[in-house]
Amino acid sequence: QACTFPCQCPHQPLQCPAGTSHVWDACGCCKVCARQLGELCSLHRPCDHHKGLYCDFSKIHRGSGICLAHEGATCDLLGKIYLNGESFQPTCKLQCICMDGAIGCIPLCSDDLRLPSPECPKPRRVKFHNKCCEEWVCEEGSEENHFGTAMAVFREDPAHKPKLNNLQENCLVQTTEWSTCSRSCGMGISARVTNNNPQCRLEKETRLCMIRPCDFSMEKTKKGKKCVRTPKQRQNLHFEFSGCTSTRSYRPRFCGSCSDGRCCTPFLTSTVDVEFRCPEGDFFQRKMMFIKMCSCHYDCPRDNDIFLATHHRRMIGDHV
C-alpha cells in the first residue's frame, strides 16, 4: 500500500558498508542496503537474506521488526564465539561474518600491487599514523635515474622514451600462475597477480573454482592404477555462487582421488567467463576455472574457508 508508481529512486549510487548486500525493497523499485543481524527492519528495509537473515515482526510493533538469523552453528575464532549471521571485525583490515559455522571475510584495505612506472619510478607502501591501511607513495629519485627503475617493465626501445599516455603498448605483460583452489570441495576462489591492464600495474585477479562437488561420488580405481581419471559430468549442471545461478549449464570435469593416499588436484586448467543471475534479477560475470587434467601429489592443500585461503600450490599450463 505504501508503494508509489512510477518508481522514484535516489539518483546517487548506493553506498553500503563493506560486506553488505544490495537488495530490492518491498515494492521491487529500488535497491537498498540490506539490514544486518540485530538491526531494525521492515518491508522497505529488508534483512540480508544472502546471510540467512529474516525480519521477525513478533517482537516490535507498528510494521517494524528485528533481523534474526535462521538456526545454524556458531563460529569460534581465537576463543571468541560468534552467532550464526553475526558480522564482526577481528582486525581493522577485515570484515567477517559467521555463516553456519564457517567464517567468511572480505578485506577492507586495498591489496593491489604496483609496478614502477615513468610517473612513479619508486612506489612504496607507507603506514600512516591513525590509519589502518597502508597507502602508496612515490619516492622522487635523481633526475638522471628517473626512468631507470621504471624501464624494467617496459620494452627496450632506444629510439623512443616511454610515452606517459601509451603505457599499455610498451608494457611487458607479467602474470603469475593461478594459486590452488581455496576449497577441496564446493565453490572456492583462486588468485593470481598480473599487470595486463591499461595502467601496466600489478593487480590481484581472482576466479571461481570447483575441484569437485562436496557430494561427489569417487569412482573406483582399476587394478594397478594409482590415480582415478578426471571424470566428466554425465549431465549438465548450473553453478551456484552467493545465492545466484549460472545462466548457462555446463558439463565440467572434476578431480577424482588417488588410491595411495596422495591428493588429486587440478594440473591443467582453462579460465572461462561465466554469467550468473541473482534472484533479484541482477546479472554479473565471474571468471571461473575449468579443469582439463588432474594429477596426484603429496603436497596436499589444507581445506580453507573460501575467503581465508592461505595455501598456494601453483598449477602449470593454464590457458585463458
Side-chain angles (χ1 to χ4, degrees):
Q1 294 177 357
C3 297
T4 57
F5 297 98
C7 298
Q8 294 181 348
C9 301
H11 295 292
Q12 61 269 25
L14 190 61
Q15 298 291 336
C16 300
T20 300
S21 303
H22 296 185
V23 296
W24 291 107
D25 60 18
C27 301
C29 272
C30 312
K31 283 291 185 75
V32 295
C33 298
R35 311 298 284 181
Q36 302 304 302
L37 185 68
E39 295 181 348
L40 292 177
C41 56
S42 66
L43 292 176
H44 293 284
R45 296 181 297 173
C47 299
D48 201 334
H49 62 271
H50 293 126
K51 298 175 181 175
L53 303 181
Y54 68 97
C55 195
D56 183 2
F57 293 98
S58 64
K59 297 183 173 23
I60 300 179
H61 300 290
R62 295 182 182 177
S64 293
I66 189 168
C67 287
L68 299 179
H70 294 287
E71 288 188 17
T74 59
C75 302
D76 183 351
L77 181 64
L78 301 176
K80 190 167 183 180
I81 304 299
Y82 297 96
L83 300 175
N84 178 41
E86 183 176 358
S87 296
F88 58 96
Q89 279 189 247
T91 72
C92 64
K93 295 184 178 181
L94 287 176
Q95 177 73 41
C96 301
I97 182 172
C98 172
M99 295 187 69
D100 197 17
I103 297 176
C105 298
I106 60 171
L108 299 178
C109 296
S110 173
D111 195 27
D112 63 328
L113 300 173
R114 284 195 66 171
L115 274 175
S117 59
E119 70 271 15
C120 186
K122 291 184 179 180
R124 188 166 62 93
R125 295 197 80 157
V126 175
K127 178 75 170 68
F128 290 99
H129 183 60
N130 293 333
K131 285 192 177 182
C132 175
C133 305
E134 293 88 1
E135 296 182 8
W136 283 108
V137 296
C138 294
E139 287 188 351
E140 291 295 333
S142 60
E143 191 66 31
E144 59 187 33
N145 194 31
H146 188 69
F147 290 103
T149 309
M151 283 300 295
V153 293
F154 290 88
R155 295 189 177 91
E156 295 182 7
D157 186 359
H160 299 89
K161 290 185 178 180
K163 298 178 181 179
L164 298 181
N165 60 349
N166 200 11
L167 295 178
Q168 196 171 24
E169 184 178 329
N170 298 308
C171 182
L172 280 176
V173 175
Q174 302 179 60
T175 304
T176 66
E177 299 292 346
W178 289 102
S179 68
T180 189
C181 192
S182 62
R183 297 288 295 267
S184 61
C185 75
M187 192 70 79
I189 287 179
S190 177
R192 69 178 180 181
V193 176
T194 181
N195 68 331
N196 190 11
N197 53 65
Q199 293 76 34
C200 191
R201 179 181 298 171
L202 279 175
E203 293 178 345
K204 188 176 180 181
E205 186 179 33
T206 59
R207 66 175 179 177
L208 301 177
C209 52
M210 185 184 289
I211 298 177
R212 60 185 68 86
C214 289
D215 57 353
F216 191 55
S217 58
M218 301 293 187
E219 295 184 16
K220 294 183 179 180
T221 53
K222 293 181 180 178
K223 192 173 182 179
K225 293 273 188 180
K226 289 187 177 180
C227 188
V228 175
R229 66 181 179 84
T230 307
K232 193 169 187 178
Q233 286 290 104
R234 294 180 179 177
Q235 295 181 342
N236 288 12
L237 60 84
H238 290 268
F239 292 114
E240 292 189 2
F241 177 65
S242 294
C244 306
T245 306
S246 63
T247 54
R248 276 189 53 197
S249 61
Y250 298 87
R251 290 183 62 198
R253 293 182 183 274
F254 296 122
C255 288
S257 60
C258 306
S259 60
D260 54 0
R262 292 183 294 171
C263 302
C264 189
T265 60
F267 179 73
L268 192 64
T269 68
S270 62
T271 304
V272 176
D273 286 324
V274 175
E275 185 180 58
F276 289 85
R277 185 182 188 276
C278 300
E280 292 86 3
D282 290 347
F283 290 85
F284 66 89
Q285 277 195 343
R286 287 287 185 275
K287 293 183 184 298
M288 184 159 182
M289 176 189 78
F290 281 79
I291 299 170
K292 292 181 176 292
M293 188 184 301
C294 300
S295 66
C296 291
H297 58 87
Y298 287 107
D299 184 17
C300 300
R302 183 165 56 90
D303 189 15
N304 293 298
D305 183 84
I306 187 170
F307 295 113
L308 296 178
T310 57
H311 188 96
H312 295 281
R313 178 181 178 271
R314 304 294 181 186
M315 290 175 289
I316 68 167
D318 182 76
H319 301 281
V320 180

